[in-house]
């Protein structure tokens, strides 16, 4: 009898079991970390070395999707390989693309001519998949997650985070207002949601595909546009061909910038957003003064 009481005492005094929320990509996890307390463990499904555009999941990752107390992802339209796994889940899930009012940009390739490649096999080619770079989309996601999985939310969340996000975006847009018309170059174009939110000009884009560069004719055309538009700022994603960017724009200030946040030590979304905005400001200001 005494041993039974000891067991019951140990169970009652033990800390509550942690719940796990799995986010498909790191920027979604950054939002979730801002909302939940220590009773909820937030993990990112994709590893830093995995390409979300050519996604292949390990058995361990597939198991993580099944066992998560909540699964948060972009949706089948842009994360098709995840769809069958999420469909087999017993627990709740939140798909950003399934939320009413989500902001979708076109695939982002209509500024190119003569390219028919689809960079995202299995994806909806009409939707730019980098939805996490829209602050409005992340505020929408925070609200949906808070309703779907309220256990473990910090006091005042998600409303406090949504207000902080709106205030920060307004402040950063104001800080960049004087640079809004400065031209810039991007190897790929993952930045549409963010540059639109910040009120920046559309960039000159080198290639629709991260793993391919422009042909010789396209390169000559781009070099002429760089010269004629006096482009002096280039954003360099981790997968971009740095040497090609340098040849294309030898006078450019090059700003390394990762749209997936893999190079950032910031664990939460708003500090990471501040880093991205500061990177834009540094590059555009250097170009404007050059």
């Amino acid at each position: 009898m005494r041993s039974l009481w000891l067991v019951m005492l140990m169970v009652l005094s033990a800390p509550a079991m942690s719940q796990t929320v799995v986010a498909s990509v790191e920027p979604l996890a950054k939002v979730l970390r801002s909302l939940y307390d220590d009773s909820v463990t937030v993990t990112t499904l994709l590893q830093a070395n995995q390409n979300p555009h050519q996604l292949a999941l390990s058995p361990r990752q597939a198991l993580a999707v099944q066992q998560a107390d909540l699964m948060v992802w972009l949706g089948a339209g842009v994360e098709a390989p995840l769809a069958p796994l999420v469909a087999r889940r017993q627990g709740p899930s939140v798909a950003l693309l399934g939320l009413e009012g989500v902001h979708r940009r076109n695939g982002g390739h209509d500024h190119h001519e003569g390219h028919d490649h689809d960079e995202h096999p299995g994806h909806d080619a009409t939707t730019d998949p980098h939805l996490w770079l829209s602050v409005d989309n992340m505020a929408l996601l925070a609200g949906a997650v808070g309703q779907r999985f309220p256990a473990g939310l910090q006091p005042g969340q998600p409303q406090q985070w949504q207000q902080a996000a709106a205030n920060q975006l307004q402040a950063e847009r104001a800080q960049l207002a004087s640079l809004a018309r400065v031209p810039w170059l991007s190897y790929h174009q993952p930045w549409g949601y963010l540059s639109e939110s910040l009120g920046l000009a559309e960039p000159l884009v080198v290639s629709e595909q991260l793993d391919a560069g422009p042909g010789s004719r396209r390169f000559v055309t781009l070099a002429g546009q760089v010269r004629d538009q006096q482009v002096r700022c280039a954003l360099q994603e981790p997968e971009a061909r740095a040497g090609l960017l340098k040849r294309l724009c030898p006078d450019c200030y090059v700003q390394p910038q990762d749209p997936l946040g893999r190079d950032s030590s910031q664990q939460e979304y708003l500090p990471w957003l501040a880093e991205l905005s500061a990177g834009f400001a540094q590059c555009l200001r250097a170009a404007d003064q050059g």
Side-chain angles (χ1 to χ4, degrees), residues 17 51 75 98 105 123 161 170 198 220:
M17 184 177 296
N51 185 343
R105 281 176 56 92
H123 293 173
W161 189 88
Q170 183 179 11
L198 295 173
V220 171

Side-chain angles (χ1 to χ4, degrees), residues 51-236:
N51 185 343
H53 305 321
Q54 298 174 345
L55 182 58
L57 297 177
S58 69
R60 178 176 294 182
Q61 288 171 310
L63 185 62
V65 173
Q66 295 303 310
Q67 294 182 339
D69 293 293
L70 175 70
M71 179 69 202
V72 181
W73 62 313
L74 300 172
V78 296
E79 288 180 324
L82 274 178
L85 294 174
V86 176
R88 291 196 295 267
R89 279 179 44 78
Q90 299 298 314
S93 303
V94 175
L96 179 59
L97 281 174
L99 303 180
E100 184 178 354
V102 66
H103 175 40
R104 302 169 183 246
R105 281 176 56 92
N106 288 336
H109 304 324
D110 56 349
H111 44 261
H112 286 296
E113 296 178 1
H115 293 273
D116 298 320
H117 305 291
D118 179 10
E119 174 209 353
H120 312 287
H123 293 173
D124 178 359
T126 65
T127 299
D128 182 340
H130 307 91
L131 297 126
W132 60 84
L133 289 173
S134 163
V135 179
D136 289 342
N137 281 348
M138 293 301 93
L140 188 67
L141 182 72
V145 166
Q147 288 185 347
R148 194 81 173 95
F149 196 75
L153 284 175
Q154 298 180 48
Q157 299 297 2
Q159 293 81 6
Q160 288 184 4
W161 189 88
Q162 291 170 319
Q163 187 60 57
N167 293 343
Q168 181 171 322
L169 179 60
Q170 183 179 11
E172 290 174 355
R173 187 181 177 100
Q175 291 170 1
L176 288 164
S178 63
L179 303 170
R181 304 178 76 84
V182 178
W184 55 289
L185 179 72
S186 180
Y187 189 89
H188 181 42
Q189 171 49 336
W191 305 109
Y193 290 101
L194 183 58
S195 59
E196 179 184 274
S197 298
L198 295 173
L200 302 178
E202 285 289 319
L204 183 62
V205 180
V206 176
S207 176
E208 293 178 12
Q209 297 178 286
L210 283 172
D211 56 356
S216 57
R217 183 178 299 179
R218 173 68 179 161
F219 184 93
V220 171
T221 300
L222 281 169
Q225 291 174 311
V226 166
R227 181 186 62 252
D228 295 342
Q229 297 177 27
Q230 297 183 320
V231 178
R232 297 292 183 272
C233 164
L235 261 64
Q236 180 179 297

Side-chain angles (χ1 to χ4, degrees), residues 23 29 31 41 49 71 140 169 200 203 205 207 218 239 247 249 265 274 276:
V31 174
T41 300
N49 62 348
M71 179 69 202
L140 188 67
L169 179 60
L200 302 178
V205 180
S207 176
R218 173 68 179 161
E239 296 84 1
R247 293 197 305 275
C249 189
S265 62
L276 293 179

